[in-house]
Amino acid sequence: MSTSIQRRLFGTDGIRGIAGEMPLDPATVFAAGLAIGHSVRRDGEGRVILGRDTRESSGWIAATLAAGVREAGGSVDSAGVVPTPAVAFLARTHGFDAGVVISASHNPWRDNGIKLFGGDGFKLPDSVELAIEDEILHHASNSTAPDPTKLPPVKDNAALQSDYVAFLLNAVSGLQLKDLAVVADCANGAAGAVAPELFRTTGGDVTLLNVNPNGRNINDGCGALHPASVATEVKNRGAAIGLTFDGDADRCMLADANGSVVNGDAILLMAARDLQSRGLLTGNIVVATTMSNMGLEAALKRSGIRMLRAPVGDRYVLEEMQKNNAALGGEQSGHILFPHLATTGDGLLTALVVLDLVARTGKRLDELIADFKVFPQVIVNVKVREKKPLESIPAVAARIRAADEDLKDSGRVVIRYSGTEPLARVMIEAESEEAMNRHAHSIADAIRAELGA
């Protein structure tokens, strides 16, 4: 799978944009339904499972896309408001030919998106996605879309949601939190639809925050994009651990009892050591990304674990894992992959795995990662008007070379475009905080001067 494939609609995680505008205008959404319907009719019975998050646009987008699938001869079942990984699970276990999620994940409420899974529960290969993309663009200009306001809402099947909760509980069979005090921030998103049922049987004192979505408050000052919020709540309440999810609950960040944020790198470290101790870490390999901290690599090495780096995006992490038969992989942002349990990153599953680890070991979260020393790291986001290859811009390339030469073995320089937003991300990691900031802002200034929006 190549990250250099030219995409017109699909980013690294589906189609994403402002709801109501291209590519999420009614005509293109309906065309997406037609294309998906034709694809599943060619390769199977044409059954599609649909899920959505809590954005006010998710309802009409779901109804419009479903109309397109049916127009193409397919059928649609809806699990309602569920996390993205729930759709992957249901597609794989309930005989669907494809899964579709209406969500823009961690983006603001005005945005939305369309994510696709195959009947095997995995994200679609590039070749299939690009074929669907070509058909969408064809239909968008040659088909008449129905008026979304005149379409009936999709009918939800609550039993599908319950099946997903049962899967999560079976994945960590016997989990009992006992007296453990937990604070969980559901980001006013999809996690809030299943968290009450999920935690009802696990014991412990679980406080759920941000479970009152109004269509516009998803990710608003809460959730995995704002992990300091739950960290503060944990400390104020005297809780043992905090969990925080993004809008579609495919990622999880944590907080320890001291009120410190625990990110995906730290989760990978504790999970890797636990799997290793139980003889489940195949090849003693963990797959992270180019954004993961050098401190993680050093801590894993002390435990005899080798860390491989993949491009950013859980699909690329999974590809590297499959290539190396790795049992664990993930991203600093909290997307964690446990292939022996699920086909895609699942924030709620990650939370349960960590809670199970804490319950089994009797150790506090901070104790499990006490030797994880994080290198200073800064990420500067630059809004860009186009995504021109950065190495082709002399002023930018010169400053990147200067940073590489200066930092050498004492730091890393990673510059990339976001796969879901019009942003260039400048990440510098270094032992010297002064050098880190100096080079990050120097490169960001050059990008802004050449490509700034």
Side-chain angles (χ1 to χ4, degrees), residues 10 35-36 39 116 124 128-137:
F10 285 91
I36 293 164
S39 177
L116 304 180
L124 296 180
V128 176
E129 239 178 32
L130 291 171
I132 290 174
E133 182 178 89
D134 287 341
E135 190 172 346
I136 291 171
L137 292 169

Side-chain angles (χ1 to χ4, degrees), residues 311-345:
V312 172
D314 58 345
R315 65 193 301 146
Y316 304 119
V317 172
L318 179 61
E319 181 188 52
E320 191 69 23
M321 292 173 68
Q322 291 171 332
K323 191 187 303 181
N324 292 277
N325 191 32
L328 178 66
E331 302 184 89
Q332 191 180 69
S333 61
H335 284 112
I336 309 297
L337 291 159
F338 299 98
H340 63 295
L341 298 175
T343 58
T344 190

Side-chain angles (χ1 to χ4, degrees), residues 182-228:
V182 179
V183 178
D185 180 349
C186 296
N188 290 312
V194 297
E197 183 180 353
L198 176 65
F199 288 110
R200 188 171 59 244
T201 60
T202 59
D205 175 15
V206 181
T207 300
L208 299 179
L209 304 177
N210 298 307
V211 288
N212 297 297
N214 62 18
R216 298 188 174 193
N217 60 359
I218 187 171
N219 301 314
D220 186 10
C222 57
L225 283 189
H226 306 276

Side-chain angles (χ1 to χ4, degrees), residues 66-368:
V69 172
R70 294 181 183 122
E71 178 76 14
S75 63
V76 176
D77 288 289
S78 175
V81 175
V82 290
T84 286
V87 172
F89 162 76
L90 292 167
R92 177 171 56 89
T93 59
H94 287 59
F96 290 98
D97 298 301
V100 181
V101 185
I102 309 302
S103 175
S105 188
H106 58 277
N107 284 32
W109 70 270
R110 290 182 179 83
D111 293 351
N112 219 320
I114 300 171
K115 302 185 183 186
L116 304 180
F117 292 93
D120 57 2
F122 289 99
K123 291 183 177 178
L124 296 180
D126 281 334
S127 58
V128 176
E129 239 178 32
L130 291 171
I132 290 174
E133 182 178 89
D134 287 341
E135 190 172 346
I136 291 171
L137 292 169
H138 169 74
H139 288 309
S141 58
N142 293 283
S143 301
T144 301
D147 182 348
T149 64
K150 295 179 180 178
L151 289 171
V154 292
K155 187 176 180 181
D156 301 331
N157 182 349
L160 293 171
Q161 190 182 92
S162 294
D163 287 350
Y164 170 64
V165 172
F167 150 72
L168 289 174
L169 293 172
N170 288 334
V172 285
S173 181
L175 172 63
Q176 282 298 315
L177 302 180
K178 298 179 182 176
D179 298 325
L180 200 67
V182 179
V183 178
D185 180 349
C186 296
N188 290 312
V194 297
E197 183 180 353
L198 176 65
F199 288 110
R200 188 171 59 244
T201 60
T202 59
D205 175 15
V206 181
T207 300
L208 299 179
L209 304 177
N210 298 307
V211 288
N212 297 297
N214 62 18
R216 298 188 174 193
N217 60 359
I218 187 171
N219 301 314
D220 186 10
C222 57
L225 283 189
H226 306 276
S229 177
V230 82
T232 299
E233 286 290 335
V234 167
K235 190 168 185 180
N236 290 344
R237 294 169 182 264
I241 188 169
L243 318 168
T244 185
F245 311 102
D246 63 336
D248 69 336
D250 63 353
R251 67 168 75 175
C252 174
M253 298 275 270
L254 307 174
D256 66 22
N258 301 314
S260 298
V261 172
V262 177
N263 68 14
D265 282 352
I267 295 171
L268 283 175
L269 177 60
M270 67 180 91
R273 286 173 169 169
D274 181 57
L275 289 172
Q276 184 188 50
S277 72
R278 294 187 285 149
L280 300 175
L281 192 67
T282 51
N284 281 331
I285 290 172
V286 169
V287 177
T289 75
T290 53
M291 303 300 282
S292 284
N293 195 275
M294 292 176 71
L296 171 62
E297 196 165 6
L300 288 170
K301 188 175 182 180
R302 287 194 292 273
S303 294
I305 300 170
R306 185 160 59 104
M307 188 180 98
L308 305 178
R309 291 186 186 270
V312 172
D314 58 345
R315 65 193 301 146
Y316 304 119
V317 172
L318 179 61
E319 181 188 52
E320 191 69 23
M321 292 173 68
Q322 291 171 332
K323 191 187 303 181
N324 292 277
N325 191 32
L328 178 66
E331 302 184 89
Q332 191 180 69
S333 61
H335 284 112
I336 309 297
L337 291 159
F338 299 98
H340 63 295
L341 298 175
T343 58
T344 190
D346 187 327
L348 289 165
L349 178 62
T350 297
L352 293 179
V353 167
V354 171
L355 290 171
D356 180 58
L357 173 56
V358 169
R360 279 189 290 105
T361 62
K363 292 183 178 179
R364 299 191 315 270
L365 202 56
D366 60 320
E367 291 178 308
L368 291 167

